[in-house]
Amino acid sequence: MEESTFEWDEEKDRQNQIKHGVSFAEAEAAFKDPARKIILDLKHSQFELRHYCFGLDARKKRVLTVRFTYRSDKIRIIGAGYWRQGRKFYGKKT
């Protein structure tokens, strides 16, 4: 993957760390996985297209699920965690 620029809301990052134990800086690891899967998040795409990235966090050897959108050629992280459904999507063949 070519080098991408990430951004996020600092307060949302803080809340995500409290709720899910993952910082948005840590969530960038999912995008570095060459086997990552990116799918459209239809449920949350009312005002802008949102996506999920399912990728392996090589450091923790766990699948990260990251909800994000593209804004001004940047990946804007909205939420992240080590959720069960992420493991299911990551393991599916496309």
Side-chain angles (χ1 to χ4, degrees), residues 31-81:
F31 293 87
K32 295 177 183 172
D33 177 4
R36 72 191 172 281
K37 302 241 171 49
I38 295 178
I39 64 167
L40 188 59
D41 176 4
L42 295 173
K43 183 178 178 182
H44 297 99
S45 289
Q46 292 88 7
F47 303 109
E48 64 184 348
L49 287 180
R50 294 195 175 180
H51 309 270
Y52 284 109
C53 176
F54 305 103
L56 187 65
D57 179 347
R59 193 173 43 91
K60 293 188 177 180
K61 297 190 179 7
R62 294 175 69 192
V63 175
L64 263 166
T65 299
V66 183
R67 187 179 307 131
F68 71 98
T69 191
Y70 295 103
R71 289 190 191 161
S72 303
D73 296 326
K74 294 180 182 174
I75 295 171
R76 184 168 181 88
I77 297 176
I78 299 165

